[in-house]
Amino acid sequence: MSVSVTFLGGLGEIGRNCAAVEIDGKIALIDVGLMFPEEDMLGVDLVFPDWSWLVKRRGDVSMVVLTHGHEDHMGAVGYFLRDIGVPVYGTELTLELTRGRIEEIGVDSELLPIQQGKWISHGPFKFMLIRVSHSVPEASAVAFDTPEGVILHSGDFKLDPTPIDGRPTDLPAFAELGRKGVRLLLSDSTNAEREGFEPSESSVGQPIADVIRGAPGRVIAACFSSHVHRVQQIANAGIAAGRKVAFFGRSMHRYTSVATELGILDLPADSVIDIKDLGALPDDRQLLITTGSQGEPFAALSLMSQGRHKFVELDESDTVLISAKPIPGNETAVSKVISNLMRRGANVVHGRNSHVHVSGHAAREELLTFINLVRPRAFVPVHGEYRHLSAHADLARKMGVKQVDVLEDGDRVTVDGKRTYVERRAVPAGYVYLDGSSVGDVQNAVLRDRSHLADEGVVVVTVGIDHDTGEVIYGPDLDSHGVMDDPSAVLDKAADAVRSDIESHKSGRTDHAEMQKTIRQAAGKVIRAETARRPVIIPVIMEV
Ligand SMILES: [Zn+2]
Ligand SMILES: [Zn+2]
């Protein structure tokens, strides 16, 4: 009986990780992630794997297993479940992080928490999550015990010997699988070009503490909300320096409360206060931990950098700590935010000028160790751009792995007895785009392909609204891409129409869905009348 793995995403880009394991005509998915758009994909909010071929085989799809709670692994699960409703397995924290994303789009789901290190049976699948360290707690590799032998997917991992929770990558479990024989290994290639070992997560603790202790005024720290161990280290450093901690940002609140409930984040209750009360303390008693490390336009850090944040106006005595690295696609946005923060006089400490960030992905020596431990018969590098996959493949060959194939999205590898063979472009694997206006709104979710965007263009309408009064205090600012040669006259006219329609619909508090509709209709009408085009209109509403 042959067993195959088909790659829907993540091979050729960092993001939208998704692989389909097929045994006896039944399919299990490993991760259903999303990708953040590249900078040339203007007006696109999210990029998904193309699972259209699975929709056609809906009856054969039996489950999803998630390796960890990062968006590039679980961010598209809700949309997938809307098309194909199957149970989703993962660790408790992974599923709690995923639950939030699924609830946002209002889809029913069956989330089944499982423990690492225990074999689980589901239909023809027998699988096990294995503990690895990464930049989110409870990350896992996943092993499938198949009739053709063990297929092992590393997930995202590093071999951190001193992780914050004292629970390092489960090397004995991997060694055990290696002894029994791994038929096929799929492993994380993100840092395959980086020499040596990635430093331990605990190595940033002291530098972060030094920054916070030495700060003369307020400290505003930004990191990924899912990086609970980083949040813990930043908060610990603040508390040790006599500061109170406030969290800011929707995902920061959600993730820290989930992690506290599960006992993963541990902070003395009296040291965490509401951001509204933080301002009453002396400056050098304040630590704000916020989202926005990726330069996201609505996030706190970006608003602060533009002097538009409700609670925080930055000045020369403030220190901003960015304890994260921009993910691909966000570099320019992050760089702009850093420049603007500096322009306001803040002291900005980030991964490039200080050791306040380490990667969650294994570097070359760790990858070599891992391959050596697992000793697979066949190897396919995953999770990376082609250059990363290629570098990782070279490492595996150097380690003497007999069969090494660099595959790309849409390709399939099959193991069948002694044979391992590759089928190129076995399934469609193009980018599927989701425009931002429809996130959180199943009814209006509009999936569009690249050609549609190219034909009709995109208009982004940005408008800043006063949170309490619903009044327009910024914009509407219209930005077009691929719609017309000289857009300014048309866009000015459209902006006027949008402004007057918003003003006339205004009802005190802002109803986002309603306002998006108003913006789309008002701008669309003008642009259609003037240009006979029907661009995708993306309303961006900032509440200030
Ligand atoms: Zn990843
Ligand atoms: Zn990850």
Side-chain angles (χ1 to χ4, degrees):
M1 185 193 301
S2 71
V3 174
S4 72
V5 184
T6 307
F7 299 96
L8 285 78
L11 277 66
E13 67 262 310
I14 305 272
R16 63 165 204 158
N17 295 288
C18 186
V21 179
E22 181 162 353
I23 300 176
D24 199 15
K26 293 287 179 201
I27 294 169
L29 291 189
I30 302 173
D31 293 333
V32 190
L34 56 76
M35 183 169 94
F36 296 97
E38 302 285 337
E39 273 150 11
D40 58 0
M41 301 176 184
L42 184 66
V44 171
D45 255 36
L46 303 170
V47 183
F48 290 168
D50 182 351
W51 54 70
S52 54
W53 65 283
L54 290 174
V55 172
K56 285 184 200 134
R57 292 186 56 189
R58 188 172 308 183
D60 298 332
V61 181
S62 80
M63 58 168 273
V64 173
V65 57
L66 300 176
T67 59
H68 63 290
H70 276 157
E71 303 271 0
D72 62 321
H73 296 259
M74 60 67 165
V77 168
Y79 296 90
F80 180 80
L81 295 181
R82 192 186 58 198
D83 290 348
I84 303 172
V86 290
V88 179
Y89 290 94
T91 63
E92 206 172 13
L93 177 69
T94 302
L95 295 183
E96 281 311 310
L97 298 182
T98 307
R99 190 187 304 279
R101 300 310 311 263
I102 294 175
E103 281 172 358
E104 273 171 13
I105 60 168
V107 178
D108 286 338
S109 60
E110 187 186 349
L111 305 181
L112 304 171
I114 55 175
Q115 282 176 15
Q116 294 169 325
K118 293 219 165 78
W119 288 105
I120 306 290
S121 289
H122 183 109
F125 300 102
K126 188 180 167 204
F127 66 100
M128 171 168 70
L129 295 178
I130 304 168
R131 188 178 74 225
V132 295
S133 50
H134 183 44
S135 44
V136 59
E138 292 192 3
S140 311
V142 56
F144 279 83
D145 189 3
T146 82
E148 295 291 336
V150 170
I151 293 177
L152 176 62
H153 189 301
S154 72
D156 291 4
F157 79 105
K158 65 193 282 194
L159 301 184
D160 190 339
T162 52
I164 299 306
D165 58 0
R167 294 160 58 79
T169 296
D170 191 353
L171 293 177
F174 291 110
E176 174 67 25
L177 286 178
R179 261 195 303 277
K180 277 169 55 184
V182 170
R183 185 67 184 79
L184 172 65
L185 171 66
L186 317 168
S187 180
D188 176 4
S189 309
T190 314
N191 283 344
E193 292 180 328
R194 194 178 294 185
E195 290 297 343
F197 290 86
E198 185 60 30
S200 170
E201 174 60 26
S202 52
S203 71
V204 300
Q206 194 56 48
I208 288 173
D210 291 344
V211 170
I212 294 179
R213 193 174 341 97
R218 293 179 295 191
V219 176
I220 293 120
C223 68
F224 274 109
S225 44
S226 60
H227 201 335
V228 178
H229 292 149
R230 188 67 56 81
V231 171
Q232 178 86 58
Q233 295 206 86
I234 296 170
N236 287 351
I239 293 164
R243 293 172 186 260
K244 297 278 185 197
V245 181
F247 293 113
F248 192 78
R250 201 164 58 111
S251 68
M252 191 61 79
H253 279 294
R254 192 184 137 67
Y255 287 18
T256 51
S257 78
V258 166
T260 303
E261 252 165 60
L262 296 178
I264 297 167
L265 182 68
D266 185 17
L267 296 173
D270 63 346
S271 40
V272 180
I273 62 175
D274 196 275
I275 187 173
K276 289 197 198 75
D277 306 322
L278 194 68
L281 297 172
D283 282 1
D284 63 354
R285 292 284 171 265
Q286 302 182 26
L287 169 62
L288 183 63
I289 303 180
T290 177
T291 53
S293 66
Q294 297 301 305
E296 306 93 317
F298 329 106
L301 205 59
S302 178
L303 294 176
M304 285 176 206
S305 76
Q306 300 166 61
R308 293 212 210 124
H309 193 272
K310 207 168 172 179
F311 298 106
V312 181
E313 195 166 329
L314 291 175
D315 62 41
E316 289 79 17
S317 66
D318 292 323
T319 300
V320 177
L321 171 69
I322 303 178
S323 187
K325 190 182 151 230
I327 55 175
N330 294 343
E331 292 93 345
T332 310
V334 173
S335 192
K336 259 188 205 147
V337 168
I338 291 176
S339 284
N340 285 334
L341 291 167
M342 289 178 166
R343 199 169 278 134
R344 298 195 166 265
N347 174 28
V348 186
V349 180
H350 53 86
R352 288 272 179 86
N353 63 13
S354 193
H355 185 66
V356 294
H357 176 69
V358 290
S359 168
H361 300 272
R364 290 168 73 88
E365 291 299 324
E366 295 160 87
L367 296 174
L368 286 171
T369 304
F370 192 69
I371 293 168
N372 204 15
L373 206 59
V374 171
R375 282 174 296 162
R377 287 219 354 235
F379 176 71
V380 173
V382 299
H383 204 284
E385 294 172 23
Y386 197 90
R387 56 187 286 182
H388 308 128
L389 305 177
S390 177
H392 201 180
D394 287 343
L395 284 181
R397 288 189 195 102
K398 227 187 277 170
M399 294 305 293
V401 181
K402 290 261 158 22
Q403 172 122 16
V404 178
D405 291 289
V406 178
L407 302 190
E408 294 190 80
D409 295 342
D411 294 350
R412 172 178 291 150
V413 58
T414 302
V415 289
D416 186 356
K418 286 209 164 65
R419 290 193 322 138
T420 303
Y421 58 91
V422 163
E423 207 180 323
R424 302 278 172 187
R425 297 171 194 273
V427 299
Y431 286 170
V432 174
Y433 296 110
L434 180 76
D435 86 48
S437 55
S438 46
V439 174
D441 182 349
V442 183
Q443 242 52 45
N444 294 329
V446 188
L447 293 173
R448 296 168 192 279
D449 62 20
R450 196 196 283 269
S451 61
H452 181 92
L453 287 176
D455 287 350
E456 297 290 326
V458 181
V459 174
V460 180
V461 184
T462 311
V463 56
I465 301 292
D466 186 291
H467 176 74
D468 300 314
T469 65
E471 216 133 346
V472 176
I473 50 176
Y474 169 80
D477 189 21
L478 276 72
D479 199 5
S480 77
H481 184 73
V483 185
M484 47 215 137
D485 295 333
D486 180 18
S488 56
V490 177
L491 293 186
D492 284 350
K493 212 165 167 183
D496 289 341
V498 170
R499 187 179 306 107
S500 84
D501 275 26
I502 292 177
E503 294 291 349
S504 65
H505 281 81
K506 175 181 84 185
S507 58
R509 286 192 58 86
T510 43
D511 174 346
H512 273 229
E514 197 53 40
M515 189 170 293
Q516 286 176 342
K517 208 166 114 195
T518 305
I519 292 172
R520 257 192 241 115
Q521 284 171 349
K525 208 164 137 192
V526 172
I527 294 165
R528 238 177 0 260
E530 301 281 328
T531 67
R533 308 286 289 273
R534 302 172 66 91
V536 177
I537 294 171
I538 300 180
V540 176
I541 299 164
M542 299 186 295
E543 273 191 56
V544 189

